[in-house]
Amino acid sequence: MNKMSKKIKLTILGEEYQLPISALVVKGSQKYNVNEETYIHMNAKHTASLIKQYVKKFFPLVKVWSKSNVYSGGSSVDVNVSYSGGESICDDVFQKIESFSNQFKAGSFNGMIDMYEYNEGTKTTDNNTPLKYFPSYVFCNNKPKWGSVEYWLSEYNNWLENTGTDNWLQYDSMVLKAGGGKSGWLNMNKTYMTDKEYQKVQSTFKTII
């Protein structure tokens, strides 16, 4: 195993997770850490990875996407979850994912005083290694990520529901009459997809419809 592929293992609430070795900051190893203890740097990227591991570990039937964002003055993590057909997951499962995810944000914005308030106390692993420097925000969304195959499956199913059309052939015929083109619904929405996304969605639709 080369240095770039090395991982550290950490245990939180009795469950083991992995992060890149770069997440571990050893006391005195860096100029700004001379007087601090050893800790795990939970930046947005590491937090996104941890949340994704949690979902895959406890809810293997749930599709999960997690993306980190860094910007002037802060950072955030966007988490999207759905079932394989693009359906929203059940409320109790989503609440568990959201509750776990919200542990790993630095605080929250208080609109009453127009100020970001940092969480008090210290979050640690089970062996008391501190977790520090969390992202400012963690946003959990009970819907598939924009542009994913699951997103387009969800859009297709929503359209069927809204139009009262209950099968592909009837729906495709309706869209063709409306000028949808040779490939019906897919052709109508192709302009919103990259070529790669279109090919993946087209391939998926052929196997399920």
Side-chain angles (χ1 to χ4, degrees), residues 3-156:
K3 185 175 181 180
M4 294 298 292
S5 67
K6 287 184 178 179
K7 302 282 186 179
I8 59 169
K9 295 180 180 180
L10 56 153
T11 304
I12 300 175
L13 300 177
E15 295 295 330
E16 185 177 281
Y17 303 91
Q18 293 187 355
L19 288 176
I21 196 169
S22 58
L24 181 64
V25 181
V26 180
K27 180 179 180 179
S29 63
Q30 299 174 349
K31 290 182 179 180
Y32 61 82
N33 190 36
V34 174
N35 296 316
E36 284 194 280
E37 72 272 57
T38 294
Y39 65 91
I40 296 173
H41 191 173
M42 292 298 298
N43 59 21
K45 184 177 181 179
H46 297 155
T47 297
S49 174
L50 196 70
I51 294 170
K52 191 170 186 178
Q53 291 176 59
Y54 168 82
V55 176
K56 288 186 173 183
K57 183 186 293 284
F58 288 98
F59 309 106
L61 296 181
V62 173
K63 179 76 175 182
V64 56
W65 301 261
S66 57
K67 178 183 177 182
S68 59
N69 303 284
V70 180
Y71 42 83
S72 177
S75 61
S76 63
V77 173
D78 290 296
V79 179
N80 288 77
V81 291
S82 78
Y83 289 122
S84 59
E87 311 93 338
S88 297
I89 66 175
C90 54
D91 289 342
D92 61 331
V93 172
F94 180 71
Q95 288 171 6
K96 290 177 181 177
I97 294 172
E98 191 172 40
S99 177
F100 178 85
S101 302
N102 284 338
Q103 297 179 81
F104 305 105
K105 60 181 182 179
S108 58
F109 184 78
N110 187 334
M112 296 293 291
I113 58 175
D114 195 30
M115 181 180 295
Y116 187 89
E117 296 181 324
Y118 288 90
N119 293 331
E120 297 181 0
T122 301
K123 181 73 178 175
T124 69
T125 65
D126 288 0
N127 69 350
N128 294 318
T129 300
L131 305 174
K132 292 190 173 186
Y133 307 115
F134 300 100
S136 306
Y137 301 98
V138 176
F139 303 108
C140 292
N141 306 283
N142 195 355
K143 59 183 180 181
K145 179 184 176 183
W146 162 266
S148 64
V149 170
E150 290 78 9
Y151 171 84
W152 290 111
L153 287 174
S154 176
E155 289 293 290
Y156 167 70

Side-chain angles (χ1 to χ4, degrees), residues 140-190:
C140 292
N141 306 283
N142 195 355
K143 59 183 180 181
K145 179 184 176 183
W146 162 266
S148 64
V149 170
E150 290 78 9
Y151 171 84
W152 290 111
L153 287 174
S154 176
E155 289 293 290
Y156 167 70
N157 288 324
N158 287 338
W159 187 271
L160 288 183
E161 183 178 346
N162 292 334
T163 58
T165 307
D166 59 4
N167 69 67
W168 169 256
L169 292 177
Q170 291 178 6
Y171 178 71
D172 197 47
S173 175
M174 179 181 66
V175 175
L176 284 170
K177 291 179 180 178
K182 290 184 179 180
S183 55
W185 185 88
L186 283 176
N187 188 69
M188 185 176 69
N189 288 279
K190 185 176 181 180

